[in-house]
Amino acid sequence: MSPDLLNVLEVILNGLMAGIMYSLVALGFVLIYKASGIFNYAQGVMALFAALTLVGFQTGQVPFAHVINAAFGTKLDTWGPGLPTFLAIILTMGVMVLFAYLLERLVLRHMVNQAPIILFMTTIGLAYFMEGFGDLMWGADVKTMDVGLPSGGSTWLESVTAGWAAEGSNYRGMYIDVLDLWAAGVAIVLVISLTLFSQYTKTGRALRAVADDHQAALTVGISLRTIWIIVWSIAGFVALVAGIMWGAKSGVQFSLSLIALKALPVLILGGFTSIPGAIVGGLIIGVGEKLFEYFIGGMIGGATENWFAYVLALFFLMFRPQGLFGDRIIERV
Amino acid sequence: MTESTQEGRKIGGTLLEVKNITLSFGGVKALTDISFDIKEGEIRAIIGPNGAGKSSMLNVISGFYHPQQGEVWFRGQKRGPMRPYEVARQGIARTFQNIALFKGMSTLDNLMTGRITQMNANLFWQAIWKGPAEREEIAHRERVEHIIDFLGIQAIRKTPVGRLPYGLQKRVELGRALAAEAKLLLLDEPMAGMNLEEKEDMCRFILDVNDEFGTTIALIEHDMGVVMDLSDRVVVLDYGRKLADGTPAEVRSDPEVIKAYLGGAHA
């Protein structure tokens, strides 16, 4: 094979990896949208918050240290060496469940039967609140996330592919980040387990039932409130996974919450109501933007990855507004 | 005070009683001072012209509406204000006039969801799908298959119900209500919009359910022939008031009822 072709393959492979990272965020949106019809603008901030909390537990930070120090003149910083990663993840999940519970109690309960736009605005408010709350609780400095996942180039792939190029060419093999491979594995496991859970368990069936028809769900004895708490908890769990992966890749900092915006074109492509759609949409965006940058980016000054996804989404909106896998929008007259 | 009917069915004591129910939406009174009872094991019909308050009555019983005045007594206990899902967990299942199924889910899943009040395995066991959760799924699956058999809908077990014709959807909805194994089954116009053959099928199912499972049934129906054939007792509503209450024969000969149905002067 010629080195050029191998380069393209490498670009595609890296695109797929990036796409899976987008899918991870998009997945959280789809879960909540399906169950409650709410577009959760706060999904990205939830990922940031989960990552902050996880790092906080891991490093033994005292929550609200800044606030306490300012109020009482103390010099609190850490309470100890921190928790082992596994325990920290469990505790963070506990925090996300608590968050889901409080959200239902304090906010969603009062928003029943409101128009979708009101609910959307609510989640915008929620996003800003959580962003500030996260800062207040754990501080605003950039943190590194280390959950023991390996990173750096995959030497295995490099050595395997090095021999693929023709003799004499200076090809050294493909580069792919091991962390990305891990993220891909985690995402696949996550999607499969979520799908199995929703297909074959009582609660999964209840989740689908609520997504399908609220009135009918009430009639068979499903409590909408319980379901909402469960859905937001699962979304919190997906946010935690996304937060870990993105945090490990690029550090835990405010910009993490902006990846939520990248999920938007993914959703427009895949459809807001489809879990496979979120995955495929993410892959298309990931591969698309990398290929575009590789082939055309150079001609027009580069940095196309910042906008390519949105332009692609715009084209999709024109021709297939429901997305690739979304429910067909049929207006009856 | 157990009394037997001619076919040997057992009609027991009072299962549900509504007392002096008054329900209004703003200034519009939907129900005024309605009282009646439903006895265990009977088929009770609620009839009346359009807008008489039949569906409102059913919605009060199933917890979708909360009356301003009056009480609902179920199995000898007064009920506080309840949400629909709590009513369902108490053992009252229902169907809707305009069908409320999970349209994207298969017939089988719809019926399995109907059994949700009977399932107890906690989230942990469900998540790993072993132990109690697995046993429970299998046991409930058996019951559901029995109901599918009973209603003769084997052929559409895996079909998403949104794709089924209207008559079959009605049947699946009945199946889902049956799956709950409720003490009391509320059917809101189970035969509306059906052709003659479908109506006959549905009649047979209702009688069989009552007979085979001993389920108490309260139904709203417009087809007078059906009502007279099926029901043990009939309550007649008109303009939110109770007009008559008694056996089909008594109700049929009631002058007030005749007037309401044949369009006497309502001033």
Side-chain angles (χ1 to χ4, degrees), chain B residues 34-94:
Chain B
I34 307 273
S35 306
F36 64 90
D37 64 342
I38 299 171
K39 293 207 167 96
E40 229 171 309
E42 77 173 338
I43 299 181
R44 185 76 146 122
I46 304 173
I47 65 168
N50 280 329
K54 308 180 296 287
S55 288
S56 295
M57 194 62 241
L58 227 56
N59 283 337
V60 166
I61 297 176
S62 60
F64 279 93
Y65 292 164
H66 298 281
Q68 278 77 15
Q69 282 163 45
E71 298 168 355
V72 179
W73 288 65
F74 184 59
R75 303 170 85 185
Q77 286 197 321
K78 189 184 161 190
R79 221 170 70 179
M82 270 189 169
R83 297 200 190 84
Y85 76 90
E86 292 169 319
V87 173
R89 286 176 192 183
Q90 266 205 333
I92 298 181
R94 70 167 292 178

Side-chain angles (χ1 to χ4, degrees), chain A residues 41-331:
Chain A
Y41 183 81
Q43 186 67 33
V45 185
M46 277 166 71
L48 171 67
F49 183 80
L52 278 174
T53 309
L54 178 59
V55 174
F57 282 142
Q58 261 188 321
T59 54
Q61 262 186 301
V62 178
F64 301 109
H66 295 285
V67 187
I68 297 169
N69 289 348
F72 302 106
T74 49
K75 291 225 178 314
L76 289 173
D77 183 21
T78 54
W79 48 261
L83 298 166
T85 303
F86 182 68
L87 201 61
I89 290 178
I90 303 270
L91 272 180
T92 309
M93 195 49 226
V95 170
M96 295 315 279
V97 172
L98 183 70
F99 160 74
Y101 175 77
L102 289 175
L103 183 73
E104 196 283 328
R105 239 7 265 231
L106 302 175
V107 184
L108 293 178
R109 184 170 289 195
H110 308 285
M111 293 289 164
V112 173
N113 287 337
Q114 295 285 0
I117 187 70
I118 306 284
L119 292 164
F120 175 59
M121 299 287 270
T122 309
T123 66
I124 294 182
L126 181 69
Y128 283 108
F129 171 77
M130 283 191 84
E131 195 188 308
F133 193 72
D135 274 1
L136 215 58
M137 202 164 164
W138 303 109
D141 39 337
V142 178
K143 299 173 179 68
T144 51
M145 158 95 65
D146 180 16
V147 287
L149 291 176
S151 60
S154 161
T155 46
W156 169 77
L157 190 75
E158 218 174 296
S159 59
V160 167
T161 51
W164 287 8
E167 284 300 316
S169 66
N170 206 8
Y171 191 72
R172 299 227 195 93
M174 288 186 193
Y175 176 86
I176 194 162
D177 201 322
V178 188
L179 185 69
D180 285 343
L181 287 174
W182 270 89
V186 167
I188 289 165
V189 171
L190 190 69
V191 169
I192 291 176
S193 39
L194 278 178
T195 310
L196 289 178
F197 183 76
S198 82
Q199 288 296 325
Y200 297 109
T201 66
K202 171 187 105 170
T203 308
R205 231 178 267 120
L207 291 178
R208 282 189 291 146
V210 170
D212 202 313
D213 191 322
H214 284 190
Q215 192 185 36
L218 281 171
T219 314
V220 297
I222 297 170
S223 157
L224 291 185
R225 289 176 176 173
T226 315
I227 293 299
W228 280 340
I229 293 176
I230 293 175
V231 169
W232 281 84
S233 299
I234 295 176
F237 175 64
V238 174
L240 173 61
V241 174
I244 291 175
M245 291 307 166
W246 279 95
K249 200 178 160 81
S250 47
V252 180
Q253 53 185 318
F254 171 70
S255 66
L256 200 62
S257 65
L258 298 179
I259 55 170
L261 296 178
K262 257 299 171 44
L264 205 61
V266 172
L267 292 168
I268 290 171
L269 246 74
F272 279 84
T273 50
S274 164
I275 289 177
I279 306 300
V280 176
L283 294 179
I284 293 177
I285 296 264
V287 173
E289 66 181 19
K290 289 275 190 294
L291 280 179
F292 190 80
E293 175 74 25
Y294 182 74
F295 284 115
I296 302 173
M299 300 176 211
I300 54 174
T304 58
E305 284 178 43
N306 289 332
W307 53 261
F308 175 77
Y310 302 99
V311 175
L312 192 63
L314 204 62
F315 275 107
F316 259 81
L317 278 178
M318 280 195 267
F319 299 110
R320 210 180 151 81
Q322 73 270 31
L324 286 173
F325 296 83
D327 298 332
R328 194 79 180 274
I329 307 158
I330 301 169
E331 293 280 350

Side-chain angles (χ1 to χ4, degrees), chain B residues 121-135:
Chain B
N122 67 33
L123 208 56
F124 172 74
W125 290 114
Q126 289 178 49
I128 58 175
W129 221 81
K130 279 273 160 267
E134 189 180 9
R135 283 198 294 279

Side-chain angles (χ1 to χ4, degrees), chain B residues 94-109:
Chain B
R94 70 167 292 178
T95 65
F96 288 84
Q97 194 177 339
N98 46 0
I99 306 184
L101 282 168
F102 307 116
K103 293 205 163 47
M105 290 160 67
S106 68
T107 301
L108 191 62
D109 272 347

